[in-house]
Amino acid sequence: MTTIALDTSNTIGHPSGPEYQLAVGEGVYALQDDVHLATPPPHPSEHTSTNPNPLATTPVRPSTGVRISLSRINPKKPPHLYKIANIGSTRSNLATYSIKESEKESRSSHDDTSSDGVTAHLANATGRTPVFGEDNALLTPVLSKDGMKRKKPKTNIVKSNSSFISRVMPHEAMTKRIQEHTPEGLFAFASINRAFQWLDLSSSNESKAQHIIKILFTKAHMLCHGINPSTKGPNHLDIIMGASTADIMWFEAFSQKYARINKNERDDAAFVPEESSPLINLSKLSNNTDHRPLHVNKSLNSRNQKSNPVASWKISNHRINDFAFSPDSRHLAVVTEDGYLQIIDYLNEQLTDIYPSYYGGFLCVCWSPDGKYILTGGQDDLVSIWSLTERRLVARCPGHHSWVSCVAFDPWRCDDRNYRFGSVGEDRRLLLWDFNVGMLHRPKALSVRQRASISSHAPLLRTRTESQATTRFRSNSNLTADSVDGEGLLEHPVESRTRTAELPPIMSKIIDDDPMSWLEFEEDCIITACAQGHIRLWARPQEVRNPSQVDLRT
C-alpha cells in the first residue's frame, strides 16, 4: 500500500539580529517577515522524470524553486519620470519618446535632440506605441451591441472535475479577506512545485502566511506566470501560467475561473506551422550550427487567425530560460540555455541583436525602468549590463560565487542617470549594485588587474570572431524606421574581460540557507525567495533626519 504524504500549511517567522540585516549606504534593511510555503508532496500518479544532469544519481522533477507574481490594484508610481533615451549613435534608428507619468498625460512623440544632432521620431504619427497586431484586421475585437465585451475564462476551478487539477483549497474566509484588502495592498501569486497560491502580503502578520486560495495540480509544475496589468481592477485579475506539462493556463482570481489556452479549447486547434520564412540569410551567419536567428512559423500578419497562437517564432534550438518586454512595449529580450541574449523588435517580428555570454548559458533577464539598459545573469557567475541604444556590452559585474538566478532593478532608487539593481543566485547571496551613466562610459585601463572570480579561471569555450569589430548582416526583409539598425541584424562577438569595465557590488550577503530563485523591489521592501519556499520581506530603512542639519527657525 502506497503512503501519501500529507500537505502542510504555510508558516511565518520574524527572525532578528545582525545576520538578518543588510547594511547599505542609505541605511539598514531589516528582515521583517519570513513566510515559508508548504511544499506539496508528489501526486501518486506523477511519474518521476529523468534528471537532466548526466552525472546525477537520483531522479528529479522539473522545478524552478519559488516564482512570484506581485500585483497592487492601485500601485504608487516611482517618484521619477523615466524617459526613453535619445540615441547617441548614428547607426541606430530607434525612436524616442517619454513614458506617461499619469494616465491624464499623453505620450510625447519626440524628445530632445540627441548628441549628434539627430532627432528620433516615432513612426506612428500619433506618438503612441503601436499595439501588437493592430495592423491585422483579423485580430481586431468585434464590437457587439453592448460594446467591446471582455473575454473571460468559463470553467470554475473549484467545481472542476478535470484530471489536470488535483485539489483546490479556498480559505474559509476568502470573500471577507478580499473585501478587506485595500487597493494599495500587495497581492502575491506564488508557485512551488505543483502548488500555486494566492497570498495577501499586506494583511496582518499571521494572515500573510494563510493562502486566499491554493491550487494543487496533478502532474503540472507551474514554472512561470505573470499578471496582465492592462486588465487588472478591483474585481478582476488575469494570471497566465506556463506548466512543465506544456500547458498554458489562464486564471481569473476573483471569479476563480480558468481556461487551458492550448488544450481542449473550442477556439483552439492543433497548430500547424506555416511555410517557414527565415528573416536572415543563414549562409551569412557564423559557423555555430546550434544558434539560428528568428524563424517565423506563423506571422502576426497571417490571415489564418482562427485559432491560437496568433504568432509563432522559433528563436533557438536550445531552451529559452527567460524573456522580458521592454517598458516601451516595442522590444523583447530573450535569453537561452546556449548563452545568447537576443533582442527582438517584436512589433515587426525582426531579430536585431545577438549577444553571447562570457561563459555558459543565460538564466535571467530584465530591463531598466527607462528601457535604456538590459541586465542578464547566468552560468558565468556574472551580471552583465547591455545598452539597447549603443548596442554593446557596457559592464560586467562580478561578485557571485555560483549561477545568477534572478536580476531586477529597483525603480524607487533609479533616476535618469543613476540606477540601483540587485541579483540573487545559487550561492544564496543577495547583491546590490549602483551605477551611473558617467561611470559606465569611463574607459577601463588595460593595466588594471582583473578581479578574481570562479568564472574567470574557467576556459573560454566560445569561438571568438576573427575581427574585433561587430559583424553586420543585412536582413532579407524590408526594415522599417523603428528597427534598431536600419542595416539588419548585428551578431556581436564575445567581449574580452580586459576590454570591458567591471562594476563591484555595494552590498553582498548570504541571506538564506538554500539557493535563491527570485527577487523583486517594492516601495517599502525588498522581497526575495529561495528554492525551498522561503519568501522574505526586507523592510527598507526608515528616513531619519540628519542630526548635523541645523534648523534655522530656532
Side-chain angles (χ1 to χ4, degrees):
M1 181 177 179
T2 303
T3 302
I4 302 176
L6 298 177
D7 187 26
T8 57
S9 301
N10 302 336
T11 58
I12 187 171
H14 310 283
S16 60
E19 64 271 29
Y20 300 106
Q21 296 179 349
L22 312 174
V24 195
E26 66 268 19
V28 176
Y29 292 76
L31 182 59
Q32 177 179 324
D33 298 301
D34 182 4
V35 178
H36 188 197
L37 302 180
T39 304
H43 192 272
S45 64
E46 185 177 359
H47 296 290
T48 302
S49 59
T50 304
N51 196 319
N53 184 352
L55 301 179
T57 58
T58 57
V60 66
R61 293 177 173 83
S63 177
T64 57
V66 175
R67 294 293 178 182
I68 305 173
S69 295
L70 302 176
S71 178
R72 296 182 192 266
I73 304 302
N74 186 20
K76 293 182 181 179
K77 295 187 177 181
H80 306 290
L81 172 62
Y82 298 107
K83 294 183 179 181
I84 298 301
N86 290 325
I87 308 307
S89 172
T90 56
R91 71 184 183 185
S92 178
N93 294 326
L94 266 176
T96 63
Y97 58 93
S98 61
I99 298 176
K100 293 190 297 181
E101 187 176 22
S102 65
E103 293 298 326
K104 297 180 180 180
E105 180 182 353
S106 60
R107 281 179 175 167
S108 172
S109 61
H110 57 84
D111 209 334
D112 300 330
T113 304
S114 59
S115 58
D116 58 2
V118 179
T119 302
H121 297 274
L122 281 177
N124 191 321
T126 62
R128 66 178 183 86
T129 301
V131 177
F132 187 68
E134 69 177 359
D135 294 331
N136 191 340
L138 297 175
L139 295 176
T140 303
V142 179
L143 293 177
S144 61
K145 295 181 181 180
D146 300 329
M148 190 180 298
K149 190 175 182 180
R150 175 185 291 171
K151 189 175 181 180
K152 299 179 180 179
K154 300 177 181 179
T155 305
N156 190 304
I157 198 168
V158 178
K159 300 179 181 179
S160 174
N161 57 2
S162 171
S163 59
F164 180 68
I165 298 170
S166 173
R167 187 181 178 191
V168 179
M169 294 169 282
H171 192 273
E172 56 184 8
M174 175 178 176
T175 304
K176 180 181 178 182
R177 292 185 64 186
I178 293 176
Q179 291 175 348
E180 293 177 349
H181 180 82
T182 62
E184 294 77 19
L186 184 63
F187 280 140
F189 295 86
S191 60
I192 179 168
N193 293 356
R194 64 186 185 96
F196 184 82
Q197 303 186 40
W198 181 9
L199 304 172
D200 184 357
L201 296 183
S202 57
S203 60
S204 60
N205 287 335
E206 299 306 320
S207 298
K208 287 182 182 179
Q210 299 176 4
H211 61 262
I212 298 176
I213 190 170
K214 183 176 182 179
I215 306 169
L216 294 180
F217 297 93
T218 305
K219 299 179 181 180
H221 290 204
M222 293 302 159
L223 304 179
C224 56
H225 43 83
I227 298 172
N228 188 343
S230 302
T231 61
K232 72 176 181 180
N235 300 307
H236 192 92
L237 276 176
D238 288 316
I239 301 101
I240 196 76
M241 307 180 223
S244 59
T245 54
D247 288 278
I248 301 175
M249 179 174 164
W250 174 17
F251 176 58
E252 201 291 300
F254 287 95
S255 65
Q256 301 156 51
K257 293 185 178 181
Y258 79 102
R260 293 165 70 186
I261 294 178
N262 61 332
K263 293 286 180 72
N264 303 325
E265 288 295 315
R266 183 177 58 186
D267 296 334
D268 293 344
F271 172 61
V272 178
E274 298 175 352
E275 183 179 354
S276 179
S277 56
L279 297 182
I280 306 297
N281 188 341
L282 298 184
S283 62
K284 295 184 179 181
L285 286 178
S286 62
N287 295 326
N288 187 350
T289 57
D290 286 337
H291 180 69
R292 287 292 181 260
L294 181 145
H295 286 66
V296 179
N297 293 326
K298 178 180 179 181
S299 173
L300 180 68
N301 298 315
S302 171
R303 301 193 62 83
N304 178 22
Q305 296 294 355
K306 295 182 179 180
S307 60
N308 282 317
V310 297
S312 174
W313 312 329
K314 182 177 179 180
I315 296 175
S316 173
N317 292 329
H318 295 262
R319 184 174 66 185
I320 296 175
N321 286 328
D322 197 9
F323 65 90
F325 290 96
S326 62
D328 63 0
S329 301
R330 303 179 77 91
H331 292 88
L332 183 66
V334 183
V335 292
T336 52
E337 185 72 15
D338 56 341
Y340 286 97
L341 163 66
Q342 302 184 50
I343 307 299
I344 300 172
D345 176 359
Y346 80 100
L347 293 177
N348 296 310
E349 299 180 292
Q350 294 170 352
L351 179 63
T352 62
D353 291 271
I354 301 175
Y355 299 96
S357 67
Y358 181 71
Y359 180 87
F362 282 126
L363 301 178
C364 51
V365 64
C366 74
W367 293 79
S368 63
D370 56 10
K372 295 179 184 178
Y373 299 102
I374 304 166
L375 291 181
T376 58
Q379 297 170 354
D380 53 10
D381 306 347
L382 297 170
V383 176
S384 301
I385 306 173
W386 314 84
S387 173
L388 174 70
T389 55
E390 297 181 15
R391 308 183 76 174
R392 69 183 183 93
L393 173 65
V394 175
R396 290 192 176 104
C397 309
H400 279 283
H401 303 290
S402 187
W403 294 359
V404 181
S405 53
C406 188
V407 290
F409 276 92
D410 183 353
W412 304 97
R413 297 197 62 84
C414 292
D415 55 31
D416 57 350
R417 292 187 63 84
N418 301 288
Y419 301 84
R420 162 72 59 84
F421 65 88
S423 60
V424 293
E426 295 195 2
D427 56 359
R428 304 173 292 152
R429 290 180 179 270
L430 166 65
L431 275 66
L432 297 179
W433 318 74
D434 280 341
F435 74 92
N436 59 60
V437 175
M439 180 190 305
L440 291 178
H441 290 279
R442 187 180 305 135
K444 180 181 179 181
L446 297 180
S447 60
V448 176
R449 182 179 179 181
Q450 300 299 306
R451 295 180 176 87
S453 68
I454 290 179
S455 60
S456 65
H457 301 290
L460 182 63
L461 298 186
R462 296 197 183 285
T463 302
R464 291 182 55 84
T465 55
E466 295 181 0
S467 173
Q468 291 292 333
T470 302
T471 307
R472 190 181 298 270
F473 300 101
R474 186 177 297 277
S475 172
N476 292 335
S477 59
N478 294 324
L479 297 176
T480 66
D482 289 332
S483 300
V484 175
D485 193 322
E487 297 186 16
L489 169 69
L490 291 182
E491 187 180 22
H492 303 262
V494 179
E495 293 291 341
S496 169
R497 296 193 70 168
T498 61
R499 296 176 178 269
T500 306
E502 286 192 353
L503 184 69
I506 63 170
M507 194 281 301
S508 175
K509 188 169 185 176
I510 296 176
I511 62 170
D512 211 302
D513 296 330
D514 299 291
M516 305 301 299
S517 61
W518 186 84
L519 167 70
E520 189 59 79
F521 293 90
E522 287 294 314
E523 180 185 14
D524 55 349
C525 65
I526 301 176
I527 305 179
T528 61
C530 75
Q532 296 302 316
H534 286 274
I535 301 175
R536 293 187 166 181
L537 284 69
W538 304 82
R540 290 186 185 267
Q542 297 293 327
E543 293 186 5
V544 180
R545 183 180 175 184
N546 190 338
S548 63
Q549 293 179 342
V550 178
D551 191 344
L552 298 179
R553 295 174 298 179
T554 60

